Amino acid sequence: VAHESLAAAVLAGDTRAAARACRVVDEAWPGHAELLAQLYSAARSAWLIGVTGSPGVGKSTLTSRLVEAMRNDGQRVGVVAVDPSSPFSGGALLGDRIRMQAHWADAEVFIRSVATRGAMGGLSRTTADVARVLGAWGASVVLIETVGVGQDELDVMRVAHGTLVVQAPGAGDDVQAAKAGLMECADVFAVNKADLPGAEALAQQLRAMLVLGHVTAGVARHGSSHAHGVQLLRASEADSGNPEWEVSVLSCVAARGEGINELLSELRRHYAWLTGTERGRARWGQRLREELVQRLYAGLSSALFERHAPEIERAAEEVANGAVDPYTASAALIERWT
Ligand SMILES: Nc1nc2c(ncn2[C@@H]2O[C@H](COP(=O)(O)OP(=O)(O)OP(=O)(O)O)[C@@H](O)[C@H]2O)c(=O)[nH]1
Ligand SMILES: [Mg+2]
């Protein structure tokens, strides 16, 4: 395969090769799946941490602090900054770059931004692929920062082993935002900007919500978006024994580097749970199963669309001119192809 030597160079820890591999997978060049297949087993040992939350809560500042802490441990670190907007809009990404500046010069830190929505699973597929390239390059930890607005961005967090949801006082609708999706993807909550008024109240609100939401924990969390896979996939998790992961709320002041080690050890404790307990392993196994299902959905539908393009075009024409209804037309095509 064309990318074999590229894979070898990435696996040897070559930074330029990793940058090139990121482009290959980000832009879905021919052979990118084969490249990723070659990197997969090495990438599996990397610990992927998602960092999300509303705009401006301090995700980048906190991510940068976590990188610092891991670098002090001598670990090679990857950062994937997911920018949901256009790569040309600048703003957020530029800000992130400035905050990450301290790490750009560090050869043991690889920072990559991802903006492609693309086909085949879009943002979360690209993020998973890029994070794996960084893992194969030798990052023992890959931090994935994304703004916690919109389903696509929240889906990105499913790529990570653990998700840190960052909240901050004064962001207005903090807890409201937490309710809408963010709450469900949190493995650990960080109440950042604990130097500002309202931080303690926010932490208490979050804790109260966790207690209330506890009944459904582990069932509602991390559900699959594909109806099919869900039941099949969930059964294994429900069957496995305790203990369920308990989400906690920790305070920090990322700007001053306070509370970072505590956050890191809580995240480590989560990773130990995920990889070292029956229920944790079932949870992670479910995610990996879901990835296959997602890739099949995307791959099968694009393959079918490609192969049957003229037929689909004819049916579309008939629906458009009223010769047939869309229900009958789609049912007939699906019947013929399956
Ligand atoms: N008071 C205070 N300000 C902080 C703290 N951490 C970050 N900030 C400030 O909050 C602002 C936003 O920080 P970022 O790290 O860019 O936040 P973000 O969540 O990455 O922002 P986006 O990526 O734009 O959504 C900056 O001005 C930071 O200096 C903190 O602990 N306390
Ligand atoms: Mg940021």
Side-chain angles (χ1 to χ4, degrees):
V1 191
H3 294 307
E4 221 151 69
S5 59
L6 182 59
V10 172
L11 291 168
D14 184 303
T15 302
R16 286 184 57 193
R20 185 171 167 77
C22 283
R23 272 198 74 193
V24 171
V25 304
D26 196 359
E27 295 167 21
W29 291 6
H32 75 281
E34 290 81 355
L35 173 66
L36 285 158
Q38 282 161 351
L39 301 180
Y40 187 75
S41 68
R44 276 183 80 150
S45 55
W47 177 25
L48 312 188
I49 304 173
V51 179
T52 189
S54 303
V57 292
K59 298 178 295 297
S60 298
T61 312
L62 185 53
T63 299
S64 192
R65 292 292 184 183
L66 290 169
V67 171
E68 196 176 285
M70 285 152 180
R71 289 296 299 125
N72 289 339
D73 270 2
Q75 302 189 71
R76 203 172 228 209
V77 182
V79 178
V80 183
V82 181
D83 183 26
S85 53
S86 149
F88 304 110
S89 74
L93 204 56
L94 189 63
D96 283 346
R97 272 174 201 252
I98 290 163
R99 270 178 279 287
M100 295 283 179
Q101 211 166 41
H103 303 298
W104 279 95
D106 186 342
E108 301 299 309
V109 178
F110 194 118
I111 303 172
R112 174 82 192 187
S113 51
V114 161
T116 330
R117 284 198 182 275
M120 305 270 288
L123 210 55
S124 55
R125 181 199 67 80
T126 313
T127 304
D129 294 348
V130 167
R132 282 180 184 143
V133 170
L134 301 192
W137 165 78
S140 50
V141 185
V142 179
L143 292 151
I144 301 165
E145 179 192 336
T146 181
V147 180
V149 288
Q151 194 53 49
D152 283 0
E153 285 67 36
L154 291 174
D155 278 346
V156 165
M157 292 294 105
R158 304 167 60 72
V159 163
H161 292 100
T163 296
L164 183 62
V165 171
V166 188
Q167 305 265 302
D173 55 348
D174 328 283
V175 174
Q176 233 20 59
K179 265 184 194 162
L182 268 179
M183 197 80 180
E184 286 88 55
C185 76
D187 296 305
V188 179
F189 276 107
V191 173
N192 188 38
K193 308 195 187 185
D195 55 320
L196 298 183
E200 192 43 44
L202 174 58
Q204 277 167 17
Q205 267 177 294
L206 285 168
R207 288 192 187 103
M209 288 183 72
L210 284 171
V211 172
L212 289 175
H214 197 245
V215 190
T216 53
V219 178
R221 295 171 67 220
H222 297 302
S224 167
S225 47
H226 289 301
H228 253 355
V230 195
Q231 271 153 1
L232 268 174
L233 298 171
R234 282 217 185 121
S236 58
E237 187 182 342
D239 286 343
S240 58
N242 285 317
E244 179 55 81
W245 172 251
E246 302 268 348
V247 179
S248 58
V249 181
L250 298 175
S251 296
C252 64
V253 183
R256 300 201 295 244
E258 292 168 17
I260 306 303
N261 289 332
E262 290 78 0
L263 270 178
L264 198 48
S265 57
E266 184 65 1
L267 287 166
R268 286 207 171 101
R269 210 168 64 77
H270 174 265
Y271 187 66
W273 170 82
L274 191 76
T275 54
T277 70
E278 207 185 322
R279 190 180 278 262
R281 280 200 293 263
R283 166 86 44 87
W284 185 242
Q286 177 193 334
R287 278 301 180 86
L288 297 177
R289 285 156 188 257
E290 282 172 13
E291 178 178 357
L292 176 69
V293 173
Q294 303 263 4
R295 283 180 198 273
L296 282 172
Y297 266 93
L300 286 172
S301 57
S302 62
L304 283 173
F305 271 87
E306 223 167 275
R307 182 172 317 161
H308 302 288
E311 215 178 336
I312 294 170
E313 187 43 50
R314 274 196 302 280
E317 191 53 44
E318 285 171 13
V319 170
N321 65 32
V324 65
D325 68 88
Y327 308 99
T328 308
S330 56
L333 289 177
I334 291 165
E335 174 81 5
R336 202 173 318 150
W337 300 336
T338 53

